[in-house]
């Protein structure tokens, strides 16, 4: 990486062993490189690209760690000496390790998509002007110009890549009130990844993704964040540097991303022409297999949401259509469907108890939740909840399931297989939800309102609600464990 760029593509990286053997690699579009199965030894590493610069360093492979990571800064005529950095959990050389993310909440904020004439007034101005604003992802016309530089400033402000936003506003990024006639400085770009502490929601940080983010998962160590986007990709971010370190193409829209309980695998629901589940090595960021999912008997339906068994060997998938639905149990190793369970219409979110015995399925089109006995893959109860149940999170002790009801503006609380669900009113249009590792709080993305609600799960009441991100729509929520 040179000082002024995020990464250098098409650079030549050459390793020379002490016995004279050479190994070469050309960096990818993100400036990443990797060498697999290197023999133990000391290597001279040279990276270069004409017109950019070069770097030379020493790499030691001693066999004590499954992988080592090396970053090089290209400078004209540059030579640098660095010590290889051990990476926890066997991360590939292209991926850097991040700080502890235990209890940290990550929320995907997608830019609100709307068009129309809005009257805007810059702060401190009494004049009115009109602008045709289209919120599609990267640009906001109007005063002042919203540019990629402003997005980059979010990432690299003052050496803190996550830009601690508490207590101040950025004057160069603007948002508009719901009335459409006031422009205020905003704390973040419309398209952002928010990081917050559920115990201190005022401590909010932001980073700028490459594309509109929707659903997310952290790997086991919490060093990599996998983010589905509106570009039919899964972007991979280093949580320490808030930088994108990889991008995985999908065949279609990715509607859910989850991590296995052992922290080693990422599963992504891909609604491509050939629908299925992408299986990704959570430590290297590489896709390793594709689990094709069958259609419904009617010939339609595709994968919507996912859950993974406690032993990480079975992935449960909702196959969804407006008129029908079922849940599949798929052997992730044998790559075959083990069982099917018919559920309600248009099933979406899944929630599995930690012991793997009960699976909750949100039937979006009929405002119910199916309770499935996993041992038989049979529905044993169907519970009425709020309108349009969307996503489900289960407490770590398995005592309660929390269901976002997007059109009901509430979160339904199910205790075991009880036929009655309690409801907790939240802001408009809740979708994503996650529960803290200690089980004390549920964090809800109020998508339509643009806010975040935190629920005290001991009393099942709203403890805190953030102010709305007027130009953003929160979707996925994931919490470090």
């Amino acid at each position: 990486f040179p000082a002024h760029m995020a990464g250098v593509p098409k650079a030549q990286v050459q390793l020379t062993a002490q016995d004279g053997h050479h190994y070469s690699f050309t960096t990818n579009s993100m400036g990443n490189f990797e060498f697999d199965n290197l023999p133990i030894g000391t290597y001279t590493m040279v990276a270069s690209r004409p017109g950019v610069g070069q770097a030379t360093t020493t790499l030691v492979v001693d066999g004590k760690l499954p992988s080592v990571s090396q970053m090089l800064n290209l400078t004209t005529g540059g030579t640098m000496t660095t010590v290889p950095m051990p990476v926890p959990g066997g991360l590939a050389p292209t991926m850097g390790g991040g700080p502890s993310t235990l209890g940290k909440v990550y929320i995907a904020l997608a830019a609100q998509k709307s068009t129309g004439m809005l009257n805007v007034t810059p702060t401190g101005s009494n004049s009115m002007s009109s602008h045709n604003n289209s919120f599609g992802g990267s640009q906001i016309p109007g005063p002042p110009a919203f540019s990629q530089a402003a997005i980059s400033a979010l990432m690299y402000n003052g050496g803190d890549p996550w830009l601690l936003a508490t207590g101040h506003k950025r004057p160069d990024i603007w948002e508009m009130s719901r009335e459409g006639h006031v422009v205020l400085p905003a704390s973040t770009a419309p398209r952002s990844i928010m990081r917050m502490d559920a115990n201190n929601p005022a401590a909010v940080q932001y980073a700028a993704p490459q594309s509109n983010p929707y659903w997310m998962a952290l790997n086991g160590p919490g060093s990599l964040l996998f983010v589905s986007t509106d570009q039919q990709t899964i972007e991979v971010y280093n949580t320490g540097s808030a930088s994108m370190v990889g991008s995985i193409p999908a065949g279609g829209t990715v509607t859910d991303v989850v991590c296995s309980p052992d922290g080693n695998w990422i599963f992504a629901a891909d609604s491509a022409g050939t629908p299925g589940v992408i299986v990704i090595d959570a430590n290297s960021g590489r896709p390793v297999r594709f689990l094709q999912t069958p259609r419904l008997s009617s010939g339609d339906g595709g994968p919507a949401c996912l859950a993974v068994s406690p032993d990480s060997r079975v992935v449960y998938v909702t196959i969804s259509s407006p008129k029908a639905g079922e849940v599949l149990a798929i052997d992730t190793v044998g790559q075959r469907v083990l069982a099917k369970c018919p559920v309600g219409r248009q099933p979406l979110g899944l929630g599995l108890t930690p012991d793997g015995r009960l699976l909750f399925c949100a039937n979006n089109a009929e405002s119910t939740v199916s309770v499935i006995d996993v041992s038989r893959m049979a529905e044993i109860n169907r519970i009425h909840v709020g309108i349009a149940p969307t996503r489900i999170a289960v407490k770590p002790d398995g005592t309660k399931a929390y269901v976002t009801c997007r059109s009901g503006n509430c979160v339904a609380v199910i205790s075991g297989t009880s036929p009655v669900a309690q409801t907790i009113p939240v802001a408009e249009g809740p979708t994503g939800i996650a529960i803290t590792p200690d089980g004390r709080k549920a964090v809800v993305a109020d998508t339509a309102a643009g806010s975040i609600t935190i629920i005290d799960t001991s009393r099942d009441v709203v403890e805190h609600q953030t102010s709305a991100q007027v130009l953003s729509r929160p979707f996925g929520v994931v919490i470090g464990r």
Side-chain angles (χ1 to χ4, degrees):
F1 297 82
H4 65 286
M5 294 179 66
V8 179
K10 299 182 180 179
Q12 297 299 313
V13 182
Q14 185 170 17
L15 291 181
T16 302
Q18 291 178 321
D19 62 4
H21 278 84
H22 295 285
Y23 305 86
S24 297
F25 194 93
T26 301
T27 59
N28 64 15
S29 61
M30 296 302 298
N32 298 325
F33 60 90
E34 65 181 312
F35 296 90
D36 290 325
N37 302 315
L38 286 174
I40 292 173
T42 301
Y43 298 82
T44 300
M45 176 182 287
V46 179
S48 64
R49 178 174 169 180
V52 177
Q54 66 180 17
T56 303
T57 189
T58 300
L59 178 70
V60 178
V61 179
D62 59 12
K64 295 179 181 179
L65 293 167
S67 68
V68 293
S69 179
Q70 187 77 65
M71 184 176 74
L72 295 96
N73 296 304
L74 301 191
T75 57
T76 303
T79 300
M80 60 181 295
T81 301
T82 58
V83 178
M85 178 180 65
V87 182
L91 300 182
T94 55
M95 306 294 184
S100 172
T101 55
L102 178 65
K104 292 291 186 182
V105 182
Y106 293 82
I107 301 158
L109 298 176
Q112 179 185 359
K113 295 184 178 181
S114 64
T115 57
M117 299 297 293
L118 296 177
N119 295 319
V120 297
T121 305
T123 301
S125 171
N126 295 319
S127 62
M128 301 293 289
S129 58
S130 295
H131 300 273
N132 188 0
N133 293 274
S134 176
F135 307 120
S138 60
Q139 297 291 327
I140 301 179
F146 184 88
S147 65
Q148 189 64 38
I151 295 178
S152 298
L154 285 170
M155 232 186 237
Y156 302 109
N157 183 61
D160 175 9
W162 282 97
L163 181 62
L164 185 62
T166 305
H168 74 278
K169 296 283 190 176
R170 288 193 58 85
D172 55 349
I173 301 175
W174 299 64
E175 65 187 13
M176 296 166 200
S177 71
R178 294 191 181 280
E179 292 76 19
H181 56 71
V182 177
V183 173
L184 303 170
S187 58
T188 181
R191 183 181 68 201
S192 302
I193 297 173
M194 174 192 289
R195 185 165 73 181
M196 67 187 298
D197 185 337
N199 293 312
N200 182 18
V204 179
Q205 300 167 294
Y206 298 94
Q210 298 290 319
S211 308
N212 260 332
Y214 289 105
W215 310 109
M216 303 185 298
L218 284 162
N219 68 348
S223 56
L224 298 179
L225 180 68
F226 294 79
V227 184
S228 72
T229 77
D230 60 353
Q231 301 301 307
Q232 297 186 357
T233 60
I234 301 164
E235 294 177 352
V236 187
Y237 289 84
N238 180 303
T239 57
S241 64
S243 59
M244 191 171 90
V245 294
S247 181
I248 302 167
T253 300
V254 175
T255 53
D256 199 13
V257 185
V258 300
C259 184
S260 60
D262 64 11
N264 291 326
W265 306 101
I266 298 293
F267 298 93
D270 187 351
S271 61
T274 300
V277 178
I278 305 170
V279 184
I280 303 164
D281 184 320
N283 295 318
S284 70
R286 295 195 204 99
V288 294
R289 66 180 67 97
F290 184 78
L291 308 174
Q292 186 172 342
T293 54
R295 302 283 188 182
L296 296 170
S297 58
S298 57
D300 61 352
C305 296
L306 309 169
V308 186
S309 63
D311 64 3
S312 303
R313 293 181 61 89
V314 178
V315 61
Y316 301 97
V317 188
T318 49
I319 305 299
S320 185
S321 84
K323 296 183 179 180
E326 62 187 14
V327 176
L328 305 181
I330 301 177
D331 180 345
T332 63
V333 179
Q335 303 184 48
R336 61 190 181 92
V337 176
L338 300 174
K340 299 180 181 181
C341 177
V343 290
R345 291 179 288 120
Q346 201 163 36
L348 295 180
L350 290 171
L352 184 66
T353 55
D355 60 11
R357 295 181 179 180
L358 293 180
L359 183 64
F360 298 89
C361 174
N363 303 314
N364 186 264
E366 59 181 50
S367 300
T368 63
V369 169
S370 293
V371 184
I372 298 170
D373 179 345
V374 173
S375 66
R376 299 183 289 127
M377 279 301 287
E379 185 181 41
I380 59 175
N381 200 359
R382 191 171 294 192
I383 302 170
H384 287 276
V385 292
I387 304 171
T390 305
R391 300 275 165 152
I392 301 177
V394 178
K395 287 188 68 174
D397 62 7
T399 57
K400 296 178 183 177
Y402 290 78
V403 186
T404 55
C405 301
R406 184 165 184 172
S407 297
N409 301 331
C410 68
V411 172
V413 185
I414 299 172
S415 298
T417 57
S418 171
V420 179
Q422 176 189 349
T423 57
I424 305 170
V426 293
E428 185 180 1
T431 52
I433 186 170
I435 296 177
T436 55
D438 60 12
R440 295 180 178 179
K441 301 178 191 298
V443 181
V444 181
D446 307 314
T447 301
S451 60
I452 307 300
T453 297
I454 298 177
I455 294 171
D456 178 346
T457 59
S458 65
R459 298 178 296 141
D460 287 334
V461 296
V462 172
E463 177 182 277
H464 180 83
Q465 193 169 90
T466 69
S467 58
Q469 296 284 348
V470 181
L471 297 184
S472 300
R473 292 294 175 258
F475 282 89
V477 181
V478 64
I479 302 178
R481 58 189 181 183

XYZ file of all heavy atoms in Angstrom, residues 270-276 292-303 319-321 325-326 328 337 340:
179
model
N -27.976 -16.824 -1.467
C -27.829 -16.207 -2.782
C -29.044 -16.546 -3.635
O -29.282 -17.708 -3.971
C -26.548 -16.733 -3.443
C -26.209 -16.041 -4.752
O -27.049 -15.272 -5.255
O -25.109 -16.285 -5.279
N -29.800 -15.512 -4.001
C -31.026 -15.717 -4.773
C -30.761 -15.664 -6.267
O -31.531 -15.067 -7.026
C -32.066 -14.663 -4.392
O -31.579 -13.361 -4.695
N -29.691 -16.278 -6.719
C -29.306 -16.239 -8.131
C -30.256 -17.078 -8.972
O -31.164 -17.738 -8.471
C -27.883 -16.748 -8.279
N -30.010 -17.063 -10.295
C -30.789 -17.912 -11.185
C -30.682 -19.366 -10.775
O -31.635 -20.139 -10.878
N -29.499 -19.757 -10.319
C -29.312 -21.044 -9.649
C -29.164 -20.717 -8.170
O -28.079 -20.374 -7.690
C -28.058 -21.772 -10.159
O -28.184 -22.001 -11.565
C -27.884 -23.102 -9.447
N -30.257 -20.772 -7.406
C -30.216 -20.290 -6.032
C -29.481 -21.260 -5.110
O -29.411 -22.461 -5.381
C -31.694 -20.193 -5.653
C -32.355 -21.233 -6.496
C -31.585 -21.266 -7.792
N -28.954 -20.719 -4.021
C -28.274 -21.578 -3.075
C -27.602 -20.801 -1.970
O -27.897 -19.622 -1.732
N -26.469 -25.753 -3.548
C -27.649 -25.420 -4.346
C -28.912 -25.810 -3.591
O -28.993 -26.884 -2.987
C -27.611 -26.133 -5.693
C -28.739 -25.717 -6.632
C -28.571 -26.297 -8.029
O -27.475 -26.725 -8.403
N -29.644 -26.327 -8.792
N -29.903 -24.930 -3.610
C -31.173 -25.190 -2.935
C -32.269 -25.450 -3.957
O -32.375 -24.725 -4.963
C -31.586 -24.002 -2.050
O -31.605 -22.792 -2.831
C -30.609 -23.826 -0.897
N -33.102 -26.449 -3.729
C -34.188 -26.731 -4.677
C -35.304 -25.700 -4.568
O -35.470 -25.039 -3.534
C -34.673 -28.108 -4.225
C -34.342 -28.170 -2.780
C -33.069 -27.404 -2.612
N -36.060 -25.585 -5.632
C -37.249 -24.729 -5.614
C -38.369 -25.438 -4.850
O -38.289 -26.628 -4.531
C -37.712 -24.460 -7.052
C -36.668 -23.799 -7.937
C -36.535 -22.331 -7.651
N -35.680 -21.664 -8.626
C -35.379 -20.368 -8.577
N -35.866 -19.614 -7.606
N -34.596 -19.831 -9.487
N -39.443 -24.684 -4.591
C -40.644 -25.281 -4.020
C -41.307 -26.172 -5.065
O -40.977 -26.109 -6.259
C -41.609 -24.188 -3.565
C -41.108 -23.275 -2.436
C -42.051 -22.090 -2.260
C -40.969 -24.052 -1.139
N -42.243 -26.982 -4.635
C -42.930 -27.875 -5.572
C -43.666 -27.099 -6.656
O -43.892 -27.603 -7.758
C -43.907 -28.780 -4.822
O -44.858 -27.995 -4.113
N -44.008 -25.862 -6.364
C -44.683 -25.010 -7.354
C -43.720 -24.478 -8.409
O -44.142 -23.842 -9.386
C -45.369 -23.835 -6.650
O -44.423 -23.095 -5.894
N -42.417 -24.682 -8.201
C -41.427 -24.239 -9.171
C -40.832 -22.882 -8.879
O -39.925 -22.434 -9.586
N -41.321 -22.214 -7.845
C -40.772 -20.899 -7.512
C -40.128 -20.965 -6.134
O -39.966 -22.021 -5.535
C -41.846 -19.823 -7.572
C -42.981 -20.067 -6.574
O -43.015 -21.144 -5.952
O -43.832 -19.174 -6.412
N -39.767 -19.813 -5.618
C -39.163 -19.741 -4.297
C -37.654 -19.842 -4.331
O -37.069 -20.535 -5.171
N -37.024 -19.120 -3.434
C -35.574 -19.144 -3.341
C -35.139 -18.943 -1.904
O -35.958 -18.663 -1.023
N -33.840 -19.098 -1.625
C -33.347 -18.972 -0.257
C -33.499 -17.547 0.263
O -33.220 -16.588 -0.462
C -31.878 -19.375 -0.369
C -31.519 -19.073 -1.789
C -32.756 -19.344 -2.582
N -36.969 -21.336 2.268
C -37.255 -21.227 0.834
C -38.598 -20.518 0.736
O -39.623 -21.026 1.195
C -37.309 -22.604 0.160
C -35.995 -23.367 0.427
C -37.547 -22.455 -1.338
C -34.756 -22.687 -0.123
N -38.564 -19.336 0.141
C -39.682 -18.409 0.311
C -40.343 -18.010 -0.995
O -39.678 -17.737 -2.002
C -39.161 -17.143 1.015
O -40.199 -16.256 1.303
N -41.672 -18.001 -0.968
C -42.473 -17.399 -2.035
C -43.714 -16.799 -1.380
O -44.059 -17.157 -0.249
C -42.853 -18.433 -3.097
O -44.002 -19.157 -2.700
N -44.008 -21.835 1.515
C -42.669 -21.775 2.075
C -42.295 -23.058 2.778
O -43.160 -23.847 3.174
N -41.017 -23.270 2.916
C -40.527 -24.413 3.667
C -39.142 -24.101 4.209
O -38.476 -23.146 3.767
C -40.493 -25.679 2.818
C -39.585 -25.622 1.616
C -39.717 -26.855 0.718
O -40.683 -27.621 0.884
O -38.852 -27.044 -0.160
N -35.416 -25.870 4.817
C -34.547 -27.000 4.477
C -33.462 -27.157 5.528
O -32.965 -26.171 6.084
C -33.863 -26.774 3.130
C -34.709 -26.482 1.899
C -33.803 -26.318 0.682
C -35.733 -27.565 1.678
N -29.572 -32.181 0.894
C -30.725 -31.818 1.718
C -31.071 -33.001 2.609
O -31.349 -34.108 2.129
C -31.929 -31.420 0.842
C -33.147 -31.144 1.718
C -31.593 -30.183 0.004
N -36.965 -31.514 4.923
C -37.751 -30.333 4.595
C -38.905 -30.229 5.579
O -39.467 -31.237 5.997
C -38.314 -30.402 3.173
C -37.278 -30.491 2.068
C -37.959 -30.561 0.712
C -36.958 -30.675 -0.424
N -37.630 -30.729 -1.759
